[in-house]
Amino acid sequence: MKSKESFLKNKLTWAIIAELLILLVAGILRPEFFSLEINPTTGMLYGSLVDIINRSAEITIIAMGMTLVIALGGTDISVGALVAVAGAFALKFLRWDVTLYPTPGDYTIYPFIIVIAVPLIICTLMGLFNGLLIGKLKLQPIIATLILMVAGRGIAQIATNGKQFTTGYTPYRFIGQGSFLGLPFPIIITIVVCAAMMIFVRKTAFGTFVESVGVNPSASRVTGLKSSRIIIIVYTLTGLLSGIAGLIYSSRIASCDSNNAGVNYEMDAILAVVLGGTSMTGGKFSMTGTIIGSLIIRTITTLVYYFGITSESIMAFKAAIILVVIVIQSEPVRKKLATMQARKQKVGELRG
């Protein structure tokens, strides 16, 4: 009985239930929502379920880093801007100067390794910048990351001279539009990133260090743990993950859009972490829960588009569903349901 009661109190349980309920509603209203087909030309599997996982790639990858940030009791509102920065620098090295190379095509000015590596290095350094401000200078996370939230898009605009570069370079387009083993390539990237992150935080002591700093930074320092170093590593890692998401995003649209790339990604990433059961006050975290939370957000978005809800109503409709999910996951509701289940089982035992 205790195991069942603790199961019902678990936030991850209710995150999974919420996702299944949303999918159930979609399946009842539109049975074809679950249909899967293989494109005979590309050999790629497609359908609403595949699209949900595919389109959630950027948020899921960013949310992996955001989970650790929130576990530290912090936040990072610069991740959306870093998505724009990654795309801007990638397209810059693909096209370099649109006045000299005015026609986009299947070419790159600089070697492809530079196109990929430089944006990731820049975003990693920006994450390091956030980490130093928070870990060393002890600035409030929301204030420290606000700097790059504002400056990041400006840097992206400077990199492209305020222009929107486009590209037809096949290897770059493959990142966001290609397929591997029948699956969209962003799904493969997401699987690799999530697996690497989960191994890193659960098969090493780093995850424990993050939770320790999140619960009590002062006590962690007393035990010899350098909390500032942990904070710097986490924010640096989040910058790298934002860069990866930025490359996927810009590859999907084969362009850099410094004004719109990554807009509201920070909010969606934070929401994914919270829906997944990680507390905003810091401490214990769940990477698996974050993945489920990201899927919930994308499922809701796919659902509202799928049923043709007007663009003016999408945000309100999405917010209403999210509100229901969060209420179901709230501590009082979970305890109430667990208590009701325990009473029901006890009555059953007495009658038996």
Side-chain angles (χ1 to χ4, degrees):
M1 185 174 73
K2 285 185 178 179
S3 60
K4 192 170 184 179
E5 189 176 341
S6 61
F7 176 77
L8 291 173
K9 288 183 179 180
N10 193 323
K11 286 186 178 181
L12 179 58
T13 299
W14 291 104
I16 295 172
I17 291 174
E19 172 68 2
L20 292 176
L21 286 175
I22 296 170
L23 290 174
L24 179 63
V25 171
I28 291 173
L29 296 177
R30 292 282 185 89
E32 67 271 20
F33 189 85
F34 293 100
S35 63
L36 296 173
E37 297 179 33
I38 296 178
N39 188 316
T41 304
T42 62
M44 184 166 63
L45 190 69
Y46 69 94
S48 296
L49 295 178
V50 175
D51 186 61
I52 287 169
I53 302 172
N54 180 22
R55 293 291 177 174
S56 67
E58 292 94 323
I59 296 301
T60 303
I61 290 171
I62 292 172
M64 288 288 101
M66 191 69 77
T67 302
L68 299 181
V69 168
I70 291 176
L72 289 172
T75 189
D76 188 343
I77 59 174
S78 69
V79 292
L82 266 58
V83 167
V85 168
F89 277 96
L91 268 295
K92 178 69 174 180
F93 284 103
L94 282 169
R95 295 285 303 280
W96 191 250
D97 191 338
V98 291
T99 58
L100 296 176
Y101 306 94
T103 305
D106 194 359
Y107 66 87
T108 177
I109 305 302
Y110 281 81
F112 188 52
I113 185 65
I114 293 178
V115 172
I116 300 299
V118 171
L120 294 182
I121 292 171
I122 291 172
C123 288
T124 302
L125 291 174
M126 287 182 167
L128 174 62
F129 174 76
N130 285 335
L132 289 171
L133 291 179
I134 298 164
K136 291 294 185 181
L137 298 183
K138 309 302 179 185
L139 293 183
Q140 288 292 325
I142 194 167
I143 299 301
T145 57
L146 179 64
I147 296 171
L148 281 182
M149 179 186 180
V150 176
R153 295 189 186 278
I155 294 171
Q157 291 280 8
I158 292 170
T160 57
N161 298 319
K163 297 181 175 63
Q164 186 171 337
F165 288 32
T166 57
T167 182
Y169 188 51
T170 301
Y172 189 74
R173 290 169 66 97
F174 182 84
I175 296 172
Q177 303 175 32
S179 65
F180 182 72
L181 300 176
L183 294 173
F185 197 60
I187 295 180
I188 303 299
I189 297 174
T190 304
I191 291 172
V192 171
V193 170
C194 290
M197 286 294 294
M198 293 174 84
I199 290 172
F200 176 57
V201 299
R202 293 307 182 195
K203 296 300 181 181
T204 70
F206 189 77
T208 304
F209 293 161
V210 170
E211 291 179 347
S212 176
V213 173
V215 171
N216 193 328
S218 300
S220 299
R221 284 194 294 271
V222 171
T223 59
L225 184 61
K226 294 184 178 180
S227 58
S228 61
R229 183 177 297 176
I230 301 299
I231 291 171
I232 291 170
I233 293 173
V234 165
Y235 279 90
T236 302
L237 188 57
T238 303
L240 171 62
L241 295 174
S242 299
I244 295 173
L247 293 180
I248 295 174
Y249 179 89
S250 62
S251 174
R252 284 193 198 276
I253 62 174
S255 174
C256 63
D257 187 353
S258 301
N259 290 322
N260 298 307
V263 171
N264 292 329
Y265 273 21
E266 56 276 353
M267 296 298 105
D268 281 346
I270 292 170
L271 184 58
V273 175
V274 174
L275 287 174
T278 300
S279 173
M280 289 293 290
T281 58
K284 289 189 176 182
F285 62 89
S286 172
M287 289 291 192
T288 304
T290 295
I291 295 171
I292 300 297
S294 178
L295 291 176
I296 289 174
I297 294 171
R298 189 63 221 184
T299 303
I300 292 171
T301 304
T302 302
L303 195 63
V304 296
Y305 282 124
Y306 193 82
F307 290 107
I309 295 172
T310 60
S311 58
E312 297 83 9
S313 308
I314 285 176
M315 293 304 291
F317 188 82
K318 181 179 175 182
I321 297 177
I322 289 171
L323 176 62
V324 173
V325 173
I326 290 176
V327 169
I328 291 173
Q329 282 190 301
S330 65
E331 193 75 17
V333 173
R334 288 186 293 111
K335 284 184 177 180
K336 183 68 174 178
L337 291 172
T339 303
M340 289 172 61
Q341 180 62 33
R343 286 176 181 173
K344 184 178 178 181
Q345 188 167 346
K346 190 173 182 179
V347 169
E349 290 174 355
L350 290 173
R351 287 178 177 176

